[in-house]
Short mmCIF file of all heavy atoms in Angstrom, two decimals:
data_model
loop_
_atom_site.label_atom_id
_atom_site.label_comp_id
_atom_site.label_asym_id
_atom_site.label_seq_id
_atom_site.Cartn_x
_atom_site.Cartn_y
_atom_site.Cartn_z
N ALA B 42 27.35 16.52 11.19
CA ALA B 42 26.87 17.07 12.45
C ALA B 42 27.25 18.54 12.61
O ALA B 42 26.54 19.31 13.24
CB ALA B 42 27.41 16.26 13.62
N GLY B 43 28.37 18.93 11.99
CA GLY B 43 28.81 20.30 12.12
C GLY B 43 28.00 21.29 11.30
O GLY B 43 27.95 22.47 11.60
N HIS B 44 27.35 20.79 10.25
CA HIS B 44 26.58 21.68 9.37
C HIS B 44 25.18 21.12 9.13
O HIS B 44 24.81 20.84 8.00
CB HIS B 44 27.29 21.84 8.01
CG HIS B 44 28.72 22.21 8.15
ND1 HIS B 44 29.16 23.51 8.25
CD2 HIS B 44 29.84 21.43 8.23
CE1 HIS B 44 30.47 23.54 8.37
NE2 HIS B 44 30.92 22.29 8.36
N PRO B 45 24.43 20.96 10.19
CA PRO B 45 23.13 20.30 10.04
C PRO B 45 22.16 21.08 9.16
O PRO B 45 21.28 20.50 8.54
CB PRO B 45 22.61 20.20 11.48
CG PRO B 45 23.33 21.26 12.21
CD PRO B 45 24.67 21.39 11.58
N GLY B 46 22.35 22.38 9.08
CA GLY B 46 21.38 23.18 8.34
C GLY B 46 21.80 23.51 6.92
O GLY B 46 21.05 24.16 6.19
N SER B 47 22.96 23.03 6.54
CA SER B 47 23.44 23.35 5.20
C SER B 47 22.53 22.75 4.14
O SER B 47 22.26 21.55 4.15
CB SER B 47 24.86 22.81 5.02
OG SER B 47 25.17 22.72 3.66
N LEU B 48 22.05 23.60 3.22
CA LEU B 48 21.11 23.08 2.23
C LEU B 48 21.83 22.31 1.13
O LEU B 48 21.21 21.56 0.39
CB LEU B 48 20.30 24.22 1.63
CG LEU B 48 19.24 24.82 2.57
CD1 LEU B 48 18.50 25.96 1.90
CD2 LEU B 48 18.25 23.76 3.03
N LEU B 49 23.13 22.53 1.01
CA LEU B 49 23.91 21.79 0.02
C LEU B 49 24.62 20.65 0.72
O LEU B 49 24.80 20.68 1.94
CB LEU B 49 24.93 22.73 -0.64
CG LEU B 49 24.32 23.81 -1.52
CD1 LEU B 49 25.40 24.76 -2.01
CD2 LEU B 49 23.58 23.19 -2.69
N PRO B 50 25.06 19.64 -0.05
CA PRO B 50 25.81 18.55 0.57
C PRO B 50 27.02 19.10 1.32
O PRO B 50 27.65 20.05 0.87
CB PRO B 50 26.24 17.70 -0.63
CG PRO B 50 25.25 18.00 -1.68
CD PRO B 50 24.81 19.41 -1.47
N VAL B 51 27.32 18.49 2.46
CA VAL B 51 28.47 18.91 3.24
C VAL B 51 29.68 18.14 2.74
O VAL B 51 29.70 16.92 2.79
CB VAL B 51 28.24 18.63 4.74
CG1 VAL B 51 29.41 19.14 5.56
CG2 VAL B 51 26.94 19.26 5.20
N GLU B 52 30.70 18.85 2.27
CA GLU B 52 31.90 18.21 1.70
C GLU B 52 31.52 17.11 0.72
O GLU B 52 31.74 15.93 0.97
CB GLU B 52 32.78 17.63 2.81
CG GLU B 52 33.67 18.66 3.45
CD GLU B 52 34.72 18.02 4.35
OE1 GLU B 52 35.00 16.82 4.17
OE2 GLU B 52 35.23 18.71 5.22
N THR B 53 30.95 17.54 -0.37
CA THR B 53 30.40 16.59 -1.35
C THR B 53 31.36 15.43 -1.65
O THR B 53 32.52 15.64 -1.97
CB THR B 53 30.09 17.32 -2.66
OG1 THR B 53 29.35 18.49 -2.34
CG2 THR B 53 29.30 16.43 -3.60
N THR B 54 30.82 14.22 -1.50
CA THR B 54 31.62 13.03 -1.78
C THR B 54 30.69 11.88 -2.15
O THR B 54 29.52 11.86 -1.76
CB THR B 54 32.43 12.62 -0.53
OG1 THR B 54 32.90 11.29 -0.72
CG2 THR B 54 31.59 12.66 0.73
N LEU B 55 31.23 10.94 -2.91
CA LEU B 55 30.45 9.74 -3.22
C LEU B 55 30.75 8.63 -2.22
O LEU B 55 30.34 7.49 -2.40
CB LEU B 55 30.76 9.27 -4.63
CG LEU B 55 30.22 10.17 -5.75
CD1 LEU B 55 30.70 9.69 -7.12
CD2 LEU B 55 28.69 10.21 -5.73
N GLY B 56 31.47 9.00 -1.16
CA GLY B 56 31.91 8.02 -0.18
C GLY B 56 30.79 7.15 0.36
O GLY B 56 30.94 5.94 0.50
N ALA B 57 29.64 7.78 0.64
CA ALA B 57 28.53 7.01 1.22
C ALA B 57 28.06 5.92 0.26
O ALA B 57 27.79 4.79 0.67
CB ALA B 57 27.39 7.95 1.57
N PHE B 58 27.99 6.26 -1.01
CA PHE B 58 27.56 5.26 -2.00
C PHE B 58 28.57 4.13 -2.09
O PHE B 58 28.22 2.95 -2.15
CB PHE B 58 27.37 5.92 -3.37
CG PHE B 58 26.15 6.80 -3.43
CD1 PHE B 58 26.27 8.17 -3.29
CD2 PHE B 58 24.89 6.26 -3.60
CE1 PHE B 58 25.16 8.99 -3.34
CE2 PHE B 58 23.77 7.07 -3.64
CZ PHE B 58 23.91 8.43 -3.51
N LYS B 59 29.85 4.52 -2.11
CA LYS B 59 30.91 3.50 -2.20
C LYS B 59 30.83 2.56 -1.00
O LYS B 59 30.93 1.35 -1.13
CB LYS B 59 32.27 4.18 -2.22
CG LYS B 59 32.60 4.80 -3.56
CD LYS B 59 34.04 5.25 -3.59
CE LYS B 59 34.36 6.01 -4.87
NZ LYS B 59 35.42 6.99 -4.68
N ARG B 60 30.61 3.17 0.17
CA ARG B 60 30.53 2.41 1.41
C ARG B 60 29.40 1.39 1.32
O ARG B 60 29.56 0.22 1.61
CB ARG B 60 30.21 3.42 2.51
CG ARG B 60 30.60 3.06 3.85
CD ARG B 60 30.98 4.30 4.63
NE ARG B 60 29.88 5.18 4.97
CZ ARG B 60 29.87 6.49 4.74
NH1 ARG B 60 30.87 7.05 4.11
NH2 ARG B 60 28.85 7.23 5.10
N VAL B 61 28.25 1.87 0.88
CA VAL B 61 27.07 1.01 0.85
C VAL B 61 27.22 -0.08 -0.19
O VAL B 61 26.81 -1.21 0.00
CB VAL B 61 25.81 1.86 0.56
CG1 VAL B 61 24.64 0.98 0.22
CG2 VAL B 61 25.50 2.73 1.76
N LEU B 62 27.82 0.26 -1.31
CA LEU B 62 27.96 -0.72 -2.37
C LEU B 62 29.19 -1.60 -2.18
O LEU B 62 29.52 -2.41 -3.03
CB LEU B 62 28.03 -0.01 -3.73
CG LEU B 62 26.74 0.72 -4.11
CD1 LEU B 62 26.91 1.49 -5.40
CD2 LEU B 62 25.58 -0.25 -4.25
N GLY B 63 29.86 -1.42 -1.04
CA GLY B 63 31.00 -2.28 -0.73
C GLY B 63 32.21 -1.99 -1.57
O GLY B 63 33.05 -2.86 -1.81
N LEU B 64 32.33 -0.74 -2.07
CA LEU B 64 33.46 -0.41 -2.94
C LEU B 64 34.60 0.23 -2.17
O LEU B 64 35.64 0.52 -2.74
CB LEU B 64 33.00 0.54 -4.06
CG LEU B 64 31.92 0.00 -5.00
CD1 LEU B 64 31.46 1.05 -5.98
CD2 LEU B 64 32.43 -1.24 -5.73
N SER B 65 34.39 0.50 -0.87
CA SER B 65 35.49 1.10 -0.12
C SER B 65 35.96 0.12 0.95
O SER B 65 35.21 -0.75 1.38
CB SER B 65 35.04 2.42 0.51
OG SER B 65 33.94 2.20 1.37
N THR B 66 37.18 0.28 1.38
CA THR B 66 37.73 -0.62 2.40
C THR B 66 37.12 -0.28 3.76
O THR B 66 36.54 0.78 3.94
CB THR B 66 39.26 -0.45 2.50
OG1 THR B 66 39.50 0.89 2.93
CG2 THR B 66 39.94 -0.70 1.18
N VAL B 67 37.29 -1.21 4.69
CA VAL B 67 36.73 -1.02 6.03
C VAL B 67 37.31 0.26 6.65
O VAL B 67 36.60 1.07 7.24
CB VAL B 67 37.05 -2.24 6.92
CG1 VAL B 67 36.63 -1.98 8.36
CG2 VAL B 67 36.33 -3.47 6.38
N ALA B 68 38.62 0.46 6.47
CA ALA B 68 39.28 1.63 7.06
C ALA B 68 38.70 2.92 6.48
O ALA B 68 38.35 3.85 7.22
CB ALA B 68 40.78 1.57 6.81
N GLU B 69 38.54 2.95 5.17
CA GLU B 69 37.97 4.13 4.51
C GLU B 69 36.56 4.40 5.04
O GLU B 69 36.20 5.53 5.34
CB GLU B 69 37.89 3.91 3.00
CG GLU B 69 39.12 4.32 2.22
CD GLU B 69 39.03 3.87 0.77
OE1 GLU B 69 37.97 3.30 0.37
OE2 GLU B 69 39.99 4.07 0.05
N ALA B 70 35.78 3.32 5.12
CA ALA B 70 34.39 3.46 5.56
C ALA B 70 34.34 4.02 6.97
O ALA B 70 33.58 4.94 7.26
CB ALA B 70 33.68 2.11 5.51
N GLN B 71 35.19 3.50 7.85
CA GLN B 71 35.18 3.98 9.23
C GLN B 71 35.65 5.42 9.32
O GLN B 71 35.14 6.19 10.10
CB GLN B 71 36.02 3.05 10.11
CG GLN B 71 35.22 1.82 10.51
CD GLN B 71 36.08 0.76 11.15
OE1 GLN B 71 37.31 0.75 10.99
NE2 GLN B 71 35.45 -0.15 11.87
N ALA B 72 36.61 5.78 8.49
CA ALA B 72 37.11 7.15 8.49
C ALA B 72 36.00 8.13 8.14
O ALA B 72 35.99 9.27 8.58
CB ALA B 72 38.27 7.29 7.51
N GLN B 73 35.04 7.66 7.34
CA GLN B 73 33.94 8.55 6.95
C GLN B 73 32.71 8.38 7.83
O GLN B 73 31.63 8.84 7.48
CB GLN B 73 33.57 8.28 5.49
CG GLN B 73 34.65 8.75 4.52
CD GLN B 73 34.22 8.57 3.10
OE1 GLN B 73 33.44 7.69 2.78
NE2 GLN B 73 34.73 9.42 2.23
N GLY B 74 32.89 7.71 8.92
CA GLY B 74 31.78 7.61 9.87
C GLY B 74 30.90 6.40 9.65
O GLY B 74 29.83 6.28 10.24
N GLY B 75 31.32 5.49 8.79
CA GLY B 75 30.54 4.27 8.60
C GLY B 75 30.89 3.27 9.68
O GLY B 75 31.86 3.45 10.41
N SER B 76 30.09 2.22 9.80
CA SER B 76 30.35 1.25 10.86
C SER B 76 31.44 0.28 10.42
O SER B 76 32.02 -0.41 11.24
CB SER B 76 29.07 0.47 11.19
OG SER B 76 28.70 -0.32 10.09
N GLY B 77 31.69 0.23 9.12
CA GLY B 77 32.68 -0.72 8.65
C GLY B 77 32.11 -2.10 8.43
O GLY B 77 32.73 -2.95 7.82
N ALA B 78 30.88 -2.32 8.92
CA ALA B 78 30.22 -3.60 8.70
C ALA B 78 29.91 -3.73 7.21
O ALA B 78 29.53 -2.75 6.56
CB ALA B 78 28.94 -3.69 9.51
N SER B 79 30.09 -4.92 6.69
CA SER B 79 29.87 -5.06 5.25
C SER B 79 28.38 -5.12 4.95
O SER B 79 27.60 -5.74 5.67
CB SER B 79 30.57 -6.31 4.73
OG SER B 79 29.90 -7.44 5.20
N VAL B 80 28.00 -4.40 3.94
CA VAL B 80 26.60 -4.41 3.51
C VAL B 80 26.60 -5.01 2.11
O VAL B 80 27.27 -4.52 1.22
CB VAL B 80 26.03 -3.00 3.43
CG1 VAL B 80 24.53 -3.04 3.50
CG2 VAL B 80 26.59 -2.12 4.50
N ASN B 81 25.85 -6.06 1.98
CA ASN B 81 25.89 -6.77 0.71
C ASN B 81 24.80 -6.26 -0.23
O ASN B 81 23.87 -6.97 -0.57
CB ASN B 81 25.70 -8.25 0.98
CG ASN B 81 26.54 -9.08 0.06
OD1 ASN B 81 26.91 -8.61 -1.02
ND2 ASN B 81 26.84 -10.29 0.46
N PHE B 82 24.94 -5.03 -0.65
CA PHE B 82 23.84 -4.39 -1.34
C PHE B 82 23.47 -5.03 -2.66
O PHE B 82 22.31 -5.12 -3.01
CB PHE B 82 24.13 -2.91 -1.54
CG PHE B 82 23.04 -2.08 -0.97
CD1 PHE B 82 23.01 -1.78 0.37
CD2 PHE B 82 21.99 -1.67 -1.77
CE1 PHE B 82 21.98 -1.06 0.91
CE2 PHE B 82 20.95 -0.94 -1.23
CZ PHE B 82 20.95 -0.64 0.11
N TRP B 83 24.50 -5.44 -3.40
CA TRP B 83 24.20 -6.05 -4.71
C TRP B 83 23.34 -7.27 -4.55
O TRP B 83 22.44 -7.52 -5.34
CB TRP B 83 25.50 -6.40 -5.44
CG TRP B 83 26.29 -5.18 -5.78
CD1 TRP B 83 27.47 -4.79 -5.22
CD2 TRP B 83 25.92 -4.15 -6.71
NE1 TRP B 83 27.87 -3.60 -5.75
CE2 TRP B 83 26.95 -3.18 -6.67
CE3 TRP B 83 24.84 -3.96 -7.57
CZ2 TRP B 83 26.93 -2.03 -7.45
CZ3 TRP B 83 24.83 -2.82 -8.36
CH2 TRP B 83 25.84 -1.87 -8.30
N LEU B 84 23.63 -8.05 -3.49
CA LEU B 84 22.85 -9.26 -3.24
C LEU B 84 21.39 -8.91 -2.95
O LEU B 84 20.47 -9.51 -3.50
CB LEU B 84 23.46 -10.01 -2.05
CG LEU B 84 22.74 -11.29 -1.61
CD1 LEU B 84 22.82 -12.34 -2.71
CD2 LEU B 84 23.34 -11.83 -0.33
N TYR B 85 21.19 -7.89 -2.09
CA TYR B 85 19.81 -7.52 -1.73
C TYR B 85 19.07 -6.97 -2.94
O TYR B 85 17.88 -7.20 -3.11
CB TYR B 85 19.80 -6.49 -0.60
CG TYR B 85 20.63 -6.89 0.59
CD1 TYR B 85 21.35 -5.96 1.31
CD2 TYR B 85 20.69 -8.23 0.98
CE1 TYR B 85 22.12 -6.33 2.39
CE2 TYR B 85 21.46 -8.61 2.06
CZ TYR B 85 22.18 -7.67 2.76
OH TYR B 85 22.93 -8.05 3.82
N LEU B 86 19.83 -6.23 -3.77
CA LEU B 86 19.23 -5.69 -4.99
C LEU B 86 18.77 -6.84 -5.88
O LEU B 86 17.66 -6.85 -6.39
CB LEU B 86 20.27 -4.83 -5.71
CG LEU B 86 19.78 -3.96 -6.85
CD1 LEU B 86 18.88 -2.87 -6.33
CD2 LEU B 86 20.95 -3.35 -7.61
N ARG B 87 19.64 -7.83 -6.04
CA ARG B 87 19.28 -8.99 -6.85
C ARG B 87 18.05 -9.69 -6.26
O ARG B 87 17.10 -10.02 -6.97
CB ARG B 87 20.46 -9.97 -6.90
CG ARG B 87 20.19 -11.16 -7.81
CD ARG B 87 20.97 -12.39 -7.39
NE ARG B 87 20.44 -12.99 -6.16
CZ ARG B 87 20.92 -14.10 -5.62
NH1 ARG B 87 21.94 -14.72 -6.17
NH2 ARG B 87 20.40 -14.59 -4.51
N ASN B 88 18.04 -9.87 -4.93
CA ASN B 88 16.92 -10.55 -4.29
C ASN B 88 15.61 -9.80 -4.53
O ASN B 88 14.58 -10.40 -4.83
CB ASN B 88 17.17 -10.69 -2.79
CG ASN B 88 18.31 -11.64 -2.50
OD1 ASN B 88 18.75 -12.37 -3.39
ND2 ASN B 88 18.80 -11.63 -1.27
N SER B 89 15.66 -8.47 -4.38
CA SER B 89 14.46 -7.68 -4.62
C SER B 89 14.00 -7.84 -6.06
O SER B 89 12.80 -7.96 -6.34
CB SER B 89 14.72 -6.19 -4.34
OG SER B 89 14.58 -5.94 -2.96
N LEU B 90 14.95 -7.84 -6.98
CA LEU B 90 14.61 -8.01 -8.39
C LEU B 90 13.93 -9.35 -8.63
O LEU B 90 12.91 -9.43 -9.31
CB LEU B 90 15.87 -7.92 -9.26
CG LEU B 90 16.35 -6.52 -9.63
CD1 LEU B 90 17.72 -6.57 -10.28
CD2 LEU B 90 15.35 -5.85 -10.58
N VAL B 91 14.52 -10.41 -8.06
CA VAL B 91 13.95 -11.75 -8.25
C VAL B 91 12.52 -11.79 -7.70
O VAL B 91 11.58 -12.18 -8.39
CB VAL B 91 14.83 -12.81 -7.55
CG1 VAL B 91 14.12 -14.16 -7.52
CG2 VAL B 91 16.16 -12.93 -8.26
N VAL B 92 12.37 -11.35 -6.45
CA VAL B 92 11.06 -11.44 -5.80
C VAL B 92 10.02 -10.62 -6.56
O VAL B 92 8.94 -11.12 -6.90
CB VAL B 92 11.15 -10.97 -4.33
CG1 VAL B 92 9.76 -10.79 -3.73
CG2 VAL B 92 11.95 -11.98 -3.51
#
Side-chain angles (χ1 to χ4, degrees):
Chain B
H44 309 273
S47 161
L48 288 179
L49 292 174
V51 183
E52 278 191 21
T53 311
T54 165
L55 289 174
F58 288 99
K59 284 189 185 151
R60 204 148 70 230
V61 168
L62 295 175
L64 299 175
S65 59
T66 63
V67 173
E69 272 171 3
Q71 279 169 340
Q73 290 184 331
S76 66
S79 70
V80 201
N81 217 336
F82 235 83
W83 295 110
L84 178 65
Y85 309 143
L86 191 68
R87 184 207 72 178
N88 293 347
S89 277
L90 277 170
V91 169
V92 168

